[in-house]
């Protein structure tokens, strides 16, 4: 059978990795796909020194690839929203299948892109868009297809996890570690996407859609980054038996779906609490299977290429199949998507870590306990540290039982209004993940 012809748009970290993996493993890939997968054209403005592209035709214009009649599958690895969207829609219009690693594009414009792809009978595959080399989309969409998924929670930004790990283990500064992540090719072009949780929210949006059968709704995800975390809270969390991880959580409740990204205290003995460096991990809980855990490199040249190439093999295998009987893009048949609403963060339920900076006076703890009990908030553990020499304040740290966030918002407002409480109350959500 004739080889499938692929055009790679973007020869950066992931594009370069994809080219190299396709070349190096060509023989095994052909044995799996049933035919060769050949890179017939590359669009890039500059060569990648890590790739020996040999005689492969190279153009500086991505639309040369999209309009090339010989190309069967366009691999979109340029990133961003605007040009990437134009590229993907044009490729679909031209009847080409698309493989992309672009989580921002899928999370924000996926509903439109998939509708167009269905109309044209082509596949848009996006395994590499979430958690780099971990085949978690395939696992949820296909491997867990018999389940009612209850919740999922994941460390889905390698850069953020790398920064938190280096800060905790080596006492390095935030900026120093971020620079290293950028040099290693983990960080987004705009690294605020990593540290402010936007990248993780893109990925969570995609995972929630395929887990619960809902349209992509990035604009409704609650997003909080890691820039406000302090070493003090990292250390207090450890003393209470927890680790702080930047987590994406999607949970189905009767009232709606929780879709939230934020720093989270996790019991230190959970496997996922021990996922360090650039590694990612996603826990998925289904009614039949129980809890499952998927772990691996969440970013980087060849780990992400591994997912891109797996998608290419999938598309190559599906080329001759009936477009109406393929695995649906978002796991559920498009006319069977649910309109179960996404909950605002104030209606989400979690346990909470609170750190209150109080004056060292009698009765402060009693006032704190009263404010919480009046709002039905049950305290699980409480720790009062010695007076801090520099300001004479006493850090009061407590962990609550699970409660709707609105009640914690009210309690924090009341605590901050106390004469004996100084500064903002620090609030970090706590998940047991059991
Ligand atoms: N910037 C992303 C991360 C790359 O650090 O996880 C992979 O999506």
């Amino acid at each position: 059978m004739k080889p499938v012809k692929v055009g790679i748009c973007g020869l950066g970290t992931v594009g370069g990795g994809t080219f190299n993996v396709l070349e190096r493993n060509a023989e095994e890939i052909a044995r799996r796909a049933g035919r060769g997968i050949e890179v017939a054209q590359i669009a890039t403005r500059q060569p990648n020194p890590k790739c020996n592209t040999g005689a492969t035709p190279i153009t500086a214009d991505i639309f040369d690839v999209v309009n090339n009649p010989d190309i069967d599958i366009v691999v979109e690895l340029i990133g961003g929203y605007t040009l990437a969207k134009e590229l993907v829609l044009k490729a679909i219009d031209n009847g080409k299948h698309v493989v992309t690693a672009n989580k921002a594009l899928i999370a924000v414009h996926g509903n439109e892109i998939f509708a167009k792809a269905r109309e044209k009978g082509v596949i848009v595959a996006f395994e590499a868009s979430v958690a780099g080399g971990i085949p978690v989309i395939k696992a949820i969409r296909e491997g867990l297809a018999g389940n009612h998924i209850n919740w999922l929670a994941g460390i889905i930004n390698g850069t953020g996890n790398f920064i938190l790990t280096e800060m905790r283990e080596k006492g390095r500064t935030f900026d120093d570690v971020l620079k290293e992540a950028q040099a290693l090719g983990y960080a987004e072009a705009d690294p605020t996407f990593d540290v402010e949780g936007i990248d993780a929210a893109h990925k969570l949006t995609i995972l929630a859609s395929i887990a619960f059968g809902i349209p992509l709704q990035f604009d409704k995800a609650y997003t909080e980054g890691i820039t406000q975390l302090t070493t003090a809270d990292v250390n207090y969390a450890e003393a209470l038996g927890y680790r702080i991880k930047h987590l994406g959580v999607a949970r189905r409740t009767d009232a709606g779906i929780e879709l939230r990204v934020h720093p989270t205290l996790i019991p230190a003995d959970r496997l996922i609490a021990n996922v360090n460096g650039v590694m990612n991990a996603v826990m998925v809980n289904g009614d039949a299977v129980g809890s499952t855990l998927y772990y691996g490199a969440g970013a980087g040249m060849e780990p992400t290429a591994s997912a891109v190439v797996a998608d290419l093999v999938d598309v190559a295998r599906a080329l001759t199949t009936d477009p109406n009987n393929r695995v649906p893009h978002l796991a559920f048949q498009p006319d069977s998507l649910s309109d179960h609403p996404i909950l605002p963060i104030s209606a989400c339920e979690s346990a909470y870590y609170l750190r209150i900076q109080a004056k060292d006076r009698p009765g402060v703890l009693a006032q704190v306990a009263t404010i919480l009990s009046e709002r039905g908030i049950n305290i699980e553990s409480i720790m009062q540290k010695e007076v801090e020499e520099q300001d004479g304040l006493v850090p009061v740290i407590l962990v609550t039982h699970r409660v709707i966030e609105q009640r914690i918002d009210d309690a924090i407002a009341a605590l901050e209004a106390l004469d004996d409480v100084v500064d903002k109350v620090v609030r970090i959500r706590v998940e047991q993940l059991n």
Side-chain angles (χ1 to χ4, degrees), residues 71-377:
I71 300 284
D72 303 299
I73 311 172
V74 171
V75 182
E76 184 279 303
L77 300 172
I78 61 170
Y81 304 89
T82 319
L83 194 56
K85 183 181 174 196
E86 207 185 313
L87 167 80
V88 166
L89 291 178
K90 184 72 186 154
I92 295 170
D93 239 351
N94 289 350
K96 299 187 190 307
H97 302 276
V98 175
V99 172
T100 177
N102 192 332
K103 55 260 159 163
L105 180 71
I106 297 297
V108 176
H109 299 297
N111 297 323
E112 180 187 344
I113 289 169
F114 296 142
K116 179 116 186 165
R118 274 197 308 281
E119 207 182 293
K120 290 283 179 178
V122 298
I123 301 168
V124 176
F126 51 98
E127 181 63 67
S129 66
V130 178
I134 310 173
V136 65
I137 290 180
K138 201 171 187 69
I140 299 174
R141 191 167 55 190
E142 294 164 55
L144 300 181
N147 285 261
H148 173 89
I149 308 278
N150 296 312
W151 56 265
L152 60 88
I155 296 171
I156 44 181
N157 181 267
T159 302
N161 202 41
F162 182 60
I163 292 173
L164 288 182
T165 305
E166 291 288 301
M167 285 172 72
R168 190 178 67 82
E169 289 182 354
K170 301 183 188 154
R172 292 176 65 190
T173 65
F174 187 91
D175 289 339
D176 176 35
V177 191
L178 177 58
K179 277 199 195 97
E180 188 181 343
Q182 287 174 293
L184 291 168
Y186 302 149
E188 294 303 297
D190 177 352
T192 59
F193 275 40
D194 294 300
V195 298
E196 297 296 357
I198 300 160
D199 176 77
H202 285 145
K203 295 167 180 167
L204 184 71
T205 299
I206 297 171
L207 290 180
S209 280
I210 59 172
F212 305 131
I214 53 172
L216 295 149
Q217 294 164 81
F218 170 70
D219 55 333
K220 301 213 176 99
Y222 172 79
T223 305
E224 193 180 306
I226 57 172
T227 51
Q228 303 302 315
L229 281 180
T230 65
T231 318
D233 292 312
V234 171
N235 293 338
Y236 292 141
E238 293 271 347
L240 289 163
Y242 291 93
R243 287 269 160 82
I244 301 184
K245 289 289 177 188
H246 194 221
L247 222 60
V249 179
R251 199 162 70 94
R252 181 172 5 211
T253 74
D254 289 343
I257 289 166
E258 298 184 358
L259 194 61
R260 47 192 171 93
V261 170
H262 46 70
T264 312
L265 270 74
I266 309 171
D269 59 2
R270 295 276 181 276
L271 279 176
I272 196 168
N274 295 284
V275 170
N276 291 319
V278 75
M279 304 309 275
N280 281 194
V282 183
M283 286 182 79
V284 185
N285 179 280
D287 66 338
V289 73
S291 284
T292 56
L293 176 67
Y294 308 88
Y295 168 85
M301 194 169 187
E302 292 212 356
T304 313
S306 164
V308 172
V309 174
D311 272 350
L312 285 170
V313 172
D314 258 1
V315 176
R317 286 170 174 156
L319 283 175
T320 53
T321 58
D322 169 11
N324 294 318
N325 287 306
R326 292 182 181 141
V327 178
H329 292 111
L330 290 177
F332 290 70
Q333 297 299 333
D335 56 1
S336 301
L337 293 186
S338 148
D339 59 3
H340 207 39
I342 306 290
L343 294 172
I345 189 67
S346 58
C348 294
E349 187 189 278
S350 176
Y352 294 86
Y353 161 103
L354 302 180
R355 175 161 61 83
I356 302 154
Q357 291 291 96
K359 290 180 188 158
D360 189 20
R361 292 214 186 116
V364 175
L365 267 186
Q367 291 181 75
V368 170
T370 303
I371 285 175
L372 295 177
S373 77
E374 280 172 356
R375 287 157 183 83
I377 301 167

